[in-house]
Amino acid sequence: MKICVVRVDKMGDMLLTLPIIQGIKKADEENIIDIVCSDNNHKICNRVPIINNIFIINKKISKILIIIKELRRQNYDYLYSFSPGWVSIILSIFSKSKFKSLLILQSRYKSGKSSKIVEKTICKMFFNNIKIVDRNSYLKLNKSINQSKLMQEVVTKSGLEFIENIKINNLFQFGKKDFNQKEIFLIHLSYKWINKYFSEEQFLNLIEKLRKIGKNIVMSSDQSSIQVFRKIYKKYKIINNENFKSLDDVNEILILEKLDFDNWTTVINSSTYVITPECGCTHIASLTNCKLCVIYDADNLPEMIAKEYAPWKKSYTKLISNDHNLEEKLILFSN
């Protein structure tokens, strides 16, 4: 079978789609699986050997037309559109796929049948198989809203053979450093750390307490880190991408500044502990053997987000940003 999966959003969403890709491939090794992806999640796709072809899309009309032409030429047996928004829908509608499936996630912030009513009305005319998920109702009824589980249900309903409950493994060739055989404690410097519940001063206090109990601390950054953690950047040593390659020991608290994807995943894979707010780091860490702690935003439906984006088949510690004992629980996690 020739199969296309449309996933044109963020890196974490692509990582949660990997159990679906793997389940389709495990069911029949002859299946050809192509991906339409974004620039954000392309870095994931091009490291997964079971993906045959990768088509990178952006919101430019010229690029969308090029991808539509390619999808029509491929003439897929099955197409699965898992990303929200009209780009994913338009690509799917104009493809020549024989059987088209769509996952529609209604707003987690609004309830009622009016959510995405235009999408639902139009798509019923073009898709063979549509799964509409009212996330608010699902949560009240204690039904699973885990993204991987929902995508799995879409594939199963389409009739394509699929092996369920696959744990992602051996899909990535992560690098690894032994750092002189030390246990590494990685904290990801997402802007989500700093809010009305937790200040940069409290963050500094946490870092120093972890250091005092013997943790070898490194901090990975993203594009916003240097604007949010100004005191952190003034206090600790910064290791850039090039210097990371020769880093073989951790003798002081380090900021690993703007590592490329290979180096970033290497340090995650080399860490014994990882603490991060819910973001792409969560899902990369879920593919490793680390002890993982994820902090959810108290002001953004933390229980729903946790259930929707929980790492697939990975045991982890869940904390909420407004927890008055957050610092103490993070210390406890590290022991």
Side-chain angles (χ1 to χ4, degrees), residues 224-268:
S224 66
S225 301
I226 196 168
Q227 283 80 39
V228 178
F229 297 94
R230 295 185 180 183
K231 295 177 182 178
I232 300 291
Y233 271 77
K234 288 180 180 179
K235 184 166 185 175
Y236 301 117
K237 184 176 179 179
I238 298 172
I239 300 293
N240 63 27
N241 193 64
E242 190 61 34
N243 290 338
F244 177 78
K245 295 176 182 178
S246 59
L247 181 67
D248 56 11
D249 202 352
V250 176
N251 296 312
E252 58 185 311
I253 299 172
L254 301 175
I255 298 172
L256 307 178
E257 173 67 352
K258 295 181 181 178
L259 299 184
D260 63 29
F261 188 77
D262 286 334
N263 285 337
W264 183 52
T265 54
T266 292
V267 74
I268 294 173

Side-chain angles (χ1 to χ4, degrees), residues 180-299:
N180 203 20
Q181 297 184 336
K182 289 182 178 178
E183 283 193 347
I184 299 301
F185 198 105
L186 173 66
I187 301 176
H188 184 57
L189 293 177
S190 165
Y191 71 91
K192 295 179 182 180
W193 272 104
I194 309 304
N195 49 56
K196 62 187 178 184
Y197 309 109
F198 202 80
S199 67
E200 188 175 6
E201 288 295 337
Q202 288 173 292
F203 188 89
L204 278 164
N205 190 52
L206 171 65
I207 297 297
E208 292 301 323
K209 283 185 177 181
L210 289 170
R211 185 61 171 170
K212 284 180 181 178
I213 60 175
K215 300 303 176 184
N216 303 296
I217 300 168
V218 298
M219 295 176 277
S220 62
S221 69
D222 59 26
Q223 292 180 341
S224 66
S225 301
I226 196 168
Q227 283 80 39
V228 178
F229 297 94
R230 295 185 180 183
K231 295 177 182 178
I232 300 291
Y233 271 77
K234 288 180 180 179
K235 184 166 185 175
Y236 301 117
K237 184 176 179 179
I238 298 172
I239 300 293
N240 63 27
N241 193 64
E242 190 61 34
N243 290 338
F244 177 78
K245 295 176 182 178
S246 59
L247 181 67
D248 56 11
D249 202 352
V250 176
N251 296 312
E252 58 185 311
I253 299 172
L254 301 175
I255 298 172
L256 307 178
E257 173 67 352
K258 295 181 181 178
L259 299 184
D260 63 29
F261 188 77
D262 286 334
N263 285 337
W264 183 52
T265 54
T266 292
V267 74
I268 294 173
N269 189 43
S270 305
S271 299
T272 305
Y273 299 88
V274 174
I275 298 178
T276 176
E278 200 285 321
C279 62
C281 183
T282 303
H283 303 288
I284 293 291
S286 73
L287 303 181
T288 74
N289 294 321
C290 74
K291 297 175 182 177
L292 173 63
C293 178
V294 182
I295 303 170
Y296 292 88
D297 183 353
D299 295 328

Side-chain angles (χ1 to χ4, degrees), residues 71-82:
L71 297 185
R72 290 175 67 84
R73 188 180 71 83
Q74 293 291 337
N75 198 26
Y76 292 105
D77 297 295
Y78 290 87
L79 181 143
Y80 297 98
S81 180
F82 291 136

